[in-house]
């Protein structure tokens, strides 16, 4: 999947019900995106039988999302990291802060001019890293990076699975315009046609 750009970085706050299932708030733009690195860890197991490999299982375990952004505003910092703004408008981070998990959406531009859209259903961020440097003979931009752990969501889809990511490329077969144009109006929920009764 070759891509040449990335933009429209959004997040949606999560409310958990008494059963742990997620309900997503209306997505909010996080910041101007610079870079996103997503790495995935798999749980793997191999069963050997009759002197050979009988089964290999590879399942999603967790992931890491590292976002380079232009800036993280005070509201996003509160929502993502648990920091608070005091009475003087100062953002204060404490050792006891713990941000809540959020859904994260963004899109990546492909060489053909179409976009690939993503939602990561449950990401828990840590404290943003800051890079600071004095100005020398030339100007060098320093931008924050925030890293989060990607998890599967508690809420099951209609197949009984726990999704961790949704992605779609505009213009692909079977992709409606409404799916793409409404991508940021709400966190995408998987839709499956129910199997015929009796099967």
């Amino acid at each position: 999947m070759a891509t040449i750009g990335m933009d429209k970085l959004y997040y949606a706050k999560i409310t958990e019900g008494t059963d742990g299932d997620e309900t997503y708030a209306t997505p909010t733009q996080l910041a101007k995106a610079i870079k996103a690195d997503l790495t995935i860890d798999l749980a793997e197991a191999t069963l050997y039988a009759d002197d050979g490999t009988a089964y290999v299982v590879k399942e999603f375990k967790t992931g890491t999302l590292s976002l380079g952004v232009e800036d993280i505003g005070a509201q996003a910092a509160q929502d993502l990291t648990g920091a608070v703004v005091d009475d003087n408008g100062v953002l204060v981070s404490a050792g006891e802060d713990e941000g809540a998990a959020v859904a994260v959406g963004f899109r990546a531009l492909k060489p053909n001019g179409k976009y690939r859209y993503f939602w990561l259903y449950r990401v828990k961020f840590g404290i943003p890293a800051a890079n600071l440097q004095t100005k020398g003979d030339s100007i060098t931009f320093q931008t924050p990076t925030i890293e989060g752990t990607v998890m599967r969501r508690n809420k099951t889809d209609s197949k009984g699975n726990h999704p961790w990511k949704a992605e779609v490329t505009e213009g692909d077969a079977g992709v409606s315009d409404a799916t793409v144009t409404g991508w940021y109006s709400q966190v995408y929920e998987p839709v499956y046609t129910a199997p015929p009764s009796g099967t």
Side-chain angles (χ1 to χ4, degrees):
M1 171 190 70
T3 58
I4 57 173
M6 176 204 168
D7 67 353
K8 290 199 176 273
L9 179 60
Y10 280 71
Y11 73 98
K13 294 169 71 173
I14 295 173
T15 302
E16 290 190 23
T18 54
D19 57 359
D21 283 359
E22 296 89 349
T23 302
Y24 300 100
T26 302
T28 303
Q29 191 152 23
L30 196 160
K32 290 183 178 178
I34 296 172
K35 183 179 181 182
D37 292 319
L38 176 62
T39 56
I40 302 302
D41 293 325
L42 299 175
E44 301 182 35
T46 303
L47 175 67
Y48 296 95
D50 285 341
D51 294 333
T53 302
Y55 299 102
V56 176
V57 176
K58 295 187 180 208
E59 294 181 349
F60 172 81
K61 182 169 62 171
T62 188
T64 301
L65 177 66
S66 181
L67 294 175
V69 294
E70 176 228 8
D71 190 20
I72 298 173
Q75 185 59 57
Q78 291 178 86
D79 292 342
L80 302 183
T81 69
V84 295
V85 174
D86 73 3
D87 294 345
N88 294 317
V90 176
L91 183 68
V92 179
S93 298
E96 295 78 13
D97 290 348
E98 184 173 353
V102 296
V104 175
F106 53 92
R107 70 180 188 174
L109 179 63
K110 298 180 67 180
N112 64 0
K114 303 288 187 180
Y115 283 94
R116 177 163 286 185
Y117 292 80
F118 297 85
W119 271 113
L120 301 174
Y121 284 113
R122 192 174 177 89
V123 182
K124 188 155 187 171
F125 286 100
I127 305 300
N131 300 309
L132 306 172
Q133 178 179 321
T134 190
K135 186 170 74 171
D137 292 336
S138 61
I139 296 172
T140 303
F141 288 104
Q142 303 297 322
T143 56
T145 301
I146 187 166
E147 187 171 279
T149 300
V150 180
M151 301 166 277
R152 71 176 201 172
R153 71 179 189 182
N154 299 321
K155 182 179 178 181
T156 58
D157 60 22
S158 60
K159 288 187 165 190
N161 295 323
H162 299 269
W164 65 273
K165 177 180 74 165
E167 65 180 277
V168 66
T169 300
E170 65 178 321
D172 278 2
V175 177
S176 71
D177 289 341
T179 298
V180 172
T181 57
W183 196 253
Y184 296 107
S185 61
Q186 62 185 16
V187 175
Y188 180 78
E189 285 292 337
V191 177
Y192 301 105
T193 302
S197 59
T199 58

